[in-house]
């Protein structure tokens, strides 16, 4: 039996008729751009995030760009974020002409290290852009307090964290704006690309809405250089069918994460993710496979020298890459989110971050491995992941203390 890292098969079986009906209705209505289907989704998504405003757009990347532009962030401004994220987090900052400033992440949570933010603030800093990576919310009380003390804006990258909350408040409701992605593998996935910006300020909502349609407050009047970034009616129809299931899906993800935590807790050489509290929405379950310095580990002799390590000045990923390959051979597919940190990407060479400049981020990129987690993962599939992983690493392993 092959365990995939992600699969839509079972969800499509369960929702099939409802999805077909919703899509056909839009198809037959002829209303593909704008209209009630999108309005309904925006309202219900806003309500699910406990904010008055949600604006649908073409992708999570565009949501970030639209939020930054809407908040007036542009050339010369610095935006503090983390380099351990999907590339789009930083790409959006650069797309509006601003400069991403990377702060290292926390060892345990993999999230932006809050105690390192203040040292990165300069007179040019305009905003903090925390990423709720893998579905785990950043401590937004502390982050917003730092922002308030320095009069900075807060844009939340909620792309992986739909359904997550911090201190009982949904992500996307803490900052000045929240940016969501409906890419199919996210917690709430469309049948293609989609995204949304959430906010409380109706004027910001209006600016974002206009920017998403060519900076056009009314037909053929253009007050800003904007974008063509709408949420399609077909995607909104799919999302309308799926949104009511989100809480149950997130509960399933939590239960799966809980079982991994329980049944892998004593595994030598594999470090489990921080539990992250009840607000974690577990888009990914990311373990760390640190290097075994003695090389007497299970991977002895079978080490795979990682091309990325050499090319991008990263620590060796030998043990992680060995484990990934062994898992694959035994039917368990895993993914590496992310093998190369943003600050070491060729596209950002000009920013001048040398190897070692963000040591925790760089080490994580060489150690992380995402185990299969999605709501429809069966108990048997999870059992297989646990069994294979245990077999692979339970031979006598010399693990660094
Ligand atoms: C997926 C993702 C994005 C971009 O979303 P798209 O819808 O793919 O454009 C941005 N940030 C993070 C952290 C993501 O995971």
């Amino acid at each position: 039996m092959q365990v995939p890292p992600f699969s839509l098969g079972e969800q499509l079986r369960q929702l099939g008729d409802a999805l077909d009906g919703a899509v056909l209705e839009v198809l037959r209505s002829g209303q593909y751009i704008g209209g009630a289907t999108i309005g309904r989704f925006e309202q219900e998504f806003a309500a699910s995030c406990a904010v008055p405003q949600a604006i649908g757009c073409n992708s999570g990347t565009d949501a970030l760009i639209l939020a930054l532009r809407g908040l007036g962030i542009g050339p010369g401004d610095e935006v503090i974020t983390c380099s351990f994220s999907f590339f789009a987090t930083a790409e959006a900052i650069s797309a509006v002409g601003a400069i991403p400033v990377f702060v290292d992440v926390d060892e345990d949570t993999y999230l932006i290290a809050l105690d390192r933010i203040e040292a990165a603030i300069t007179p040019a800093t305009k905003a903090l852009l925390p990423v709720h990576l893998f579905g785990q919310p950043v401590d937004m009380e502390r982050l917003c307090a730092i922002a308030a003390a320095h009069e900075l804006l807060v844009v939340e990258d909620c792309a992986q964290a739909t359904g997550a909350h911090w201190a009982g408040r949904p992500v996307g409701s803490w900052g000045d704006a929240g940016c969501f992605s409906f890419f199919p593998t996210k917690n709430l996935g469309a049948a293609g690309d989609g995204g949304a910006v959430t906010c409380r300020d109706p004027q910001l909502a209006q600016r974002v809405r206009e920017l998403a349609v060519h900076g056009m407050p009314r037909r053929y009047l253009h007050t800003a250089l904007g974008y063509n970034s709408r949420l399609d009616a077909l995607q909104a129809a799919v999302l309308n069918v799926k949104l009511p299931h989100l809480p149950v899906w997130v509960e399933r993800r939590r239960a799966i994460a809980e079982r991994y935590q329980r049944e892998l807790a004593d595994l030598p050489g594999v470090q489990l993710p921080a539990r992250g509290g009840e607000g974690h929405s577990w888009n990914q379950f990311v373990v760390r496979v640190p290097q075994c310095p003695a090389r007497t580990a299970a991977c002895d002799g079978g080490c795979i020298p990682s091309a990325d390590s050499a090319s991008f000045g990263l620590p060796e990923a030998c043990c992680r890459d060995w484990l990934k390959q062994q898992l694959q051979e035994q039917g368990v597919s895993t993914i590496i989110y992310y093998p190369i940190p943003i600050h070491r990407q060729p596209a950002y060479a000009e920013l001048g971050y040398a190897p070692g400049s963000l040591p925790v981020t760089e080490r994580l990129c060489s150690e992380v491995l995402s185990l299969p987690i999605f709501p429809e993962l069966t108990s048997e599939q999870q059992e297989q992941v646990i069994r294979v992983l245990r077999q692979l690493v339970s031979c006598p392993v010399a693990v660094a203390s």
Side-chain angles (χ1 to χ4, degrees):
M1 185 169 62
Q2 190 72 30
V3 185
F6 175 77
S7 166
L8 280 170
E10 180 55 28
Q11 190 188 97
L12 287 175
R13 263 191 294 283
Q14 284 170 18
L15 300 181
D17 290 346
L19 283 174
D20 291 353
V23 167
L24 262 183
E25 193 182 314
V26 172
L27 210 53
R28 290 181 178 155
S29 76
Q31 174 104 54
Y32 305 144
I33 304 285
T37 310
I38 295 160
R40 182 182 140 204
F41 174 70
E42 289 179 334
Q43 266 183 13
E44 287 174 10
F45 189 69
S48 78
C49 296
V51 289
Q53 310 284 342
I55 304 97
C57 65
N58 188 59
S59 68
T61 307
D62 282 6
L64 288 163
I65 293 172
L66 291 165
L68 292 166
R69 278 286 307 276
L71 288 165
I73 293 163
D77 296 338
E78 292 178 2
V79 177
I80 294 175
T81 190
C82 50
S83 167
F84 191 52
S85 181
F86 179 57
F87 188 68
T89 303
E91 194 181 27
I93 295 168
S94 301
V96 305
I99 301 156
V101 173
F102 300 115
V103 163
D104 213 349
V105 290
D106 183 90
E107 283 273 357
D108 299 317
T109 62
Y110 316 151
L111 303 174
I112 189 165
L114 296 171
D115 53 4
R116 291 177 184 272
I117 290 177
E118 281 184 308
I121 296 174
T122 74
T125 308
K126 284 285 153 38
L128 305 182
L129 202 162
V131 182
H132 305 300
L133 195 70
F134 306 141
Q136 174 156 29
V138 171
D139 179 341
M140 290 306 291
E141 286 157 301
R142 273 186 68 196
L143 185 125
C144 290
I146 297 167
H150 297 270
E151 297 183 24
L152 302 175
L153 297 163
V154 175
V155 176
E156 296 174 70
D157 184 336
C158 308
Q160 298 183 10
T162 311
H165 53 87
W166 177 263
R169 255 175 75 185
V171 298
S173 71
W174 286 88
D176 294 280
C179 304
F180 291 83
S181 166
F182 307 126
F183 186 82
T185 59
K186 308 290 164 106
N187 286 354
L188 177 66
D193 279 312
V197 176
T198 55
C199 63
R200 292 179 303 276
D201 177 3
Q203 285 175 339
L204 172 60
Q206 189 55 34
R207 281 197 300 279
V208 167
R209 217 171 260 297
E210 290 170 15
L211 283 167
V213 191
H214 306 289
M216 187 167 71
R218 69 173 161 83
R219 190 161 288 192
Y220 306 134
L221 170 70
H222 303 271
T223 52
L225 301 178
Y227 310 87
N228 177 1
S229 182
R230 288 172 283 231
L231 182 67
D232 286 353
L234 282 168
Q235 298 302 343
V238 169
L239 292 167
N240 279 332
V241 172
K242 290 192 175 191
L243 181 58
H245 298 274
L246 179 65
V248 173
W249 289 339
V250 170
E251 271 316 308
R252 267 296 294 160
R253 288 176 180 277
R254 288 190 183 125
I256 292 165
E258 189 52 45
R259 183 171 175 199
Y260 278 142
Q261 297 276 14
R262 220 173 33 240
E263 298 189 25
L264 297 174
D266 57 338
L267 221 51
V270 174
Q271 202 173 312
L272 300 183
R275 285 179 179 262
E278 57 164 27
H280 197 323
S281 66
W282 294 103
N283 184 244
Q284 299 297 335
F285 189 92
V286 180
V287 303
R288 287 174 68 174
V289 188
Q291 296 179 65
C292 326
R295 292 288 155 78
T296 53
C299 60
D300 191 30
C303 252
I304 304 169
S306 162
D308 285 349
S309 306
S311 311
F312 300 99
L314 301 172
E316 266 212 56
C318 187
C319 295
R320 188 269 315 274
D321 290 354
W322 172 83
L323 188 60
K324 179 173 170 43
Q325 191 193 53
Q326 296 292 310
L327 285 164
Q328 183 64 40
E329 281 174 13
Q330 303 206 34
V332 176
S333 299
T334 56
I335 297 187
I336 298 166
Y337 298 110
Y338 294 90
I340 306 164
I342 300 175
H343 71 284
R344 296 293 302 150
Q345 293 287 350
Y348 276 128
E350 62 181 35
L351 292 180
Y353 287 83
S357 53
L358 300 172
V360 180
T361 297
E362 291 164 37
R363 200 147 20 82
L364 282 174
C365 287
S366 296
E367 295 182 359
V368 287
L369 193 63
S370 299
L371 304 185
I373 189 167
F374 53 96
E376 300 78 15
L377 186 75
T378 65
S379 180
E380 294 71 33
Q381 287 175 315
Q382 192 176 14
E383 155 81 34
Q384 183 180 344
V385 177
I386 291 165
R387 184 169 33 78
V388 169
L389 193 53
R390 292 196 70 91
Q391 276 166 4
L392 282 171
V393 299
S394 62
C395 38
V397 174
V399 181
S401 57

